[in-house]
């Protein structure tokens, strides 16, 4: 029987380390237990929210409802050929343990996504990405519970509607609960080294194996990004904005060199980190909250910051980028529970 905990601290369930609580909390271990938790909440008119390891969200206040943390933890091979393998991985598996498992078997596809905090169930929601790859490139299909019909659905890659840190799971307002993800991995893959200084750092590794590529990515991340177990954070707080070429040209006119990626002839992506730095917020700290000195897109809880303090700091950064560049930054982090997210 599924246990529903009352007045549960969520301090260890969010990587910002915000000390808040939910009225109710449950850790279902099967699809049936997830259904039970949902029905339990619906019968009592409680709000509910399904979370993984809480590595991409900010709780701004105590949660007056049921937090559901799926704990389905199996990995199984569902098909295999001489060149490929299909792996069915349940939502509760830790993402980096999954990457480590793939790399140790010499299966290609996950290695550039090493050390991203969070669970496998969150990977398709966010379409997690780093160092030139995104989860959508290796996802075959997603098994999800449709909360409207209470039926389990298999959504093909196409039906997941993946975008930049976006998917049907993120957009459909809690309609789907991810139960598991099937990944297609390569046995004789190629290394993806196009992003930033990855190629250069990798070339220094003695053997240049798949495990070496994982180690290179881990080293780059450790150098640049704060370890959430030491400094509470949720990775990039905002997305990199895509702006019209005219706006980009006017910024370039003002600043000379501006890092950017051409999306098409009209649209240009500018790193939010650069905008935040130029707006004067790199390494800035207000009491317990600040931006990380080597990557200002990451907002850090330096002490016992509350969710509202972190939120208010992020809004100052956002307003400042708007005032300086006329660019609205969109949050990558999900706010709970503010509806304008
Ligand atoms: N930059 C600055 N100042 C800085 C740091 C960076 O101007 O202090 C500029 C530089 O021009 C740099 C550019 O920003 O080349 C990009 O920086 P970085 O390579 O660190 O990547 P990012 O665009 O800031 C994205 C993802 C990260 C992912 C990295 C690496 C988003 C919102 N973030 O960051 O993902 O790890 O690329 O692939 O797309 C996350 O989603 O939580 C996350 C950490």
């Amino acid at each position: 029987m599924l246990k529903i905990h009352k007045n549960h601290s969520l301090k260890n369930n969010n990587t910002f380390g915000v000390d808040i609580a939910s009225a109710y909390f449950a850790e279902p271990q099967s699809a049936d237990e997830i259904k039970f938790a949902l029905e339990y909440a619906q019968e009592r008119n409680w709000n509910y929210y399904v979370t993984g390891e809480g590595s991409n969200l900010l709780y701004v206040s105590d949660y007056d409802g049921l937090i559901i943390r799926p704990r389905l933890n199996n990995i199984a091979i569902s098909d295999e050929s001489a060149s490929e393998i299909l792996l069915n991985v349940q939502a509760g598996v830790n993402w980096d343990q999954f990457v480590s498992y793939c790399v140790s078997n010499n299966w290609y596809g996950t290695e550039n996504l090493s050390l991203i905090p969070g669970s496998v169930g969150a990977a398709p929601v966010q379409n997690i990405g780093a160092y030139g790859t995104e989860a959508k490139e290796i996802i075959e299909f997603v098994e999800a519970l449709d909360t409207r019909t209470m039926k389990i659905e298999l959504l093909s890659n196409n039906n997941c509607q993946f975008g930049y840190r976006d998917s049907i799971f993120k957009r459909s307002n809690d309609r789907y609960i991810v139960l598991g993800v099937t990944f297609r991995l390569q046995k004789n893959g190629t290394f993806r080294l196009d992003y930033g200084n990855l190629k250069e750092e990798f070339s220094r590794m003695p053997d240049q194996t798949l495990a070496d590529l994982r180690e290179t990515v881990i080293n780059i991340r450790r150098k640049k990004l704060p370890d959430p177990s030491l400094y509470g954070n949720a990775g990039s707080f905002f997305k990199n904005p895509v702006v019209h070429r005219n706006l980009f040209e006017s910024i370039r006119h003002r600043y000379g060199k501006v890092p950017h990626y051409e999306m098409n002839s009209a649209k240009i992506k500018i790193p939010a980190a650069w905008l935040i730095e130029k707006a004067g917020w790199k390494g800035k700290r207000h009491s317990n909250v600040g931006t990380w000195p080597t990557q200002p897109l990451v907002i850090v809880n330096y002490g016992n910051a509350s969710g509202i303090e972190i939120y208010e700091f992020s809004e100052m950064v956002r307003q400042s980028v708007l005032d300086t560049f006329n660019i609205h930054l969109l949050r990558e982090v999900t706010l709970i529970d503010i509806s304008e997210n």
Side-chain angles (χ1 to χ4, degrees), residues 5-253:
H5 303 269
K6 275 191 190 159
N7 195 18
H8 183 87
S9 167
L10 296 172
K11 194 166 165 44
N12 295 323
N13 289 92
N14 73 100
T15 57
F16 263 120
V18 169
D19 194 5
I20 34 84
S22 62
Y24 305 99
F25 182 80
E27 294 182 294
Q29 294 187 14
S30 65
D32 281 344
E33 285 196 351
I34 293 177
K35 279 190 202 169
F36 175 84
L38 279 181
E39 282 162 357
Y40 199 87
Q42 284 162 357
E43 280 160 18
R44 286 159 184 77
N45 253 333
W46 295 347
N47 293 326
Y48 63 84
Y49 186 77
V50 181
T51 171
E53 295 180 17
S55 58
N56 200 58
L57 49 81
L58 174 62
Y59 288 106
V60 286
S61 58
D62 285 343
Y63 187 73
D64 183 25
L66 173 65
I67 296 288
I68 302 173
R69 164 82 163 99
R71 290 282 190 185
L72 294 72
N73 282 323
N74 198 38
I75 302 184
I77 295 176
S78 64
D79 204 359
E80 188 168 5
S81 71
S83 60
E84 289 186 334
I85 187 146
L86 285 182
L87 275 187
N88 182 255
V89 189
Q90 289 191 310
V93 172
N94 171 269
W95 175 263
D96 195 55
Q97 276 171 16
F98 164 58
V99 174
S100 165
Y101 172 74
C102 294
V103 169
S104 65
N105 281 289
N106 221 31
W107 298 327
Y108 291 64
T110 60
E111 57 283 354
N112 289 37
L113 305 174
S114 290
L115 211 65
I116 294 184
S119 62
V120 165
V125 180
Q126 269 289 102
N127 182 22
I128 56 172
Y131 305 103
T133 50
E134 286 182 321
K136 72 169 186 191
E137 292 163 34
I138 49 171
I139 292 176
E140 188 71 5
F141 57 83
V142 174
E143 184 183 355
L145 179 68
D146 184 337
T147 59
R148 288 190 201 163
T149 60
M150 285 296 189
K151 292 213 166 87
I152 294 175
E153 308 258 341
L154 290 184
L155 287 97
S156 68
N157 182 300
N158 232 350
N159 288 340
C160 294
Q161 300 173 18
F162 290 122
Y164 167 51
R165 295 297 189 280
D166 199 24
S167 71
I168 192 168
F169 310 108
K170 197 161 176 183
R171 279 196 303 271
S172 69
N173 241 340
D174 301 337
R175 174 168 172 190
Y176 294 106
I177 298 175
V178 175
L179 302 174
V181 183
T182 295
F183 296 92
R184 181 183 291 274
L185 304 171
Q186 305 300 317
K187 292 185 175 172
N188 305 300
T190 47
F191 297 135
R192 306 280 301 269
L193 302 170
D194 308 329
Y195 191 92
N197 59 346
L198 189 54
K199 195 175 198 163
E200 192 190 323
E201 299 276 327
F202 183 60
S203 70
R204 296 206 199 106
M205 300 300 272
D207 302 325
Q208 299 181 11
T209 61
L210 193 62
D212 287 334
L213 180 50
R214 168 168 161 80
E215 203 181 315
T216 308
V217 169
I218 288 176
N219 290 341
I220 294 175
R221 286 187 73 94
R222 287 216 167 112
K223 254 189 250 161
K224 268 201 159 172
L225 297 168
D227 176 350
S229 67
L230 302 174
Y231 300 97
N233 75 87
S236 302
F237 199 91
F238 301 103
K239 296 186 191 189
N240 289 325
V242 175
V243 304
H244 198 273
R245 183 174 286 279
N246 293 345
L247 179 55
F248 168 71
E249 290 301 349
S250 76
I251 295 171
R252 181 142 75 176
H253 187 70

Side-chain angles (χ1 to χ4, degrees), residues 60 308 314:
V60 286
I308 203 79
S314 77

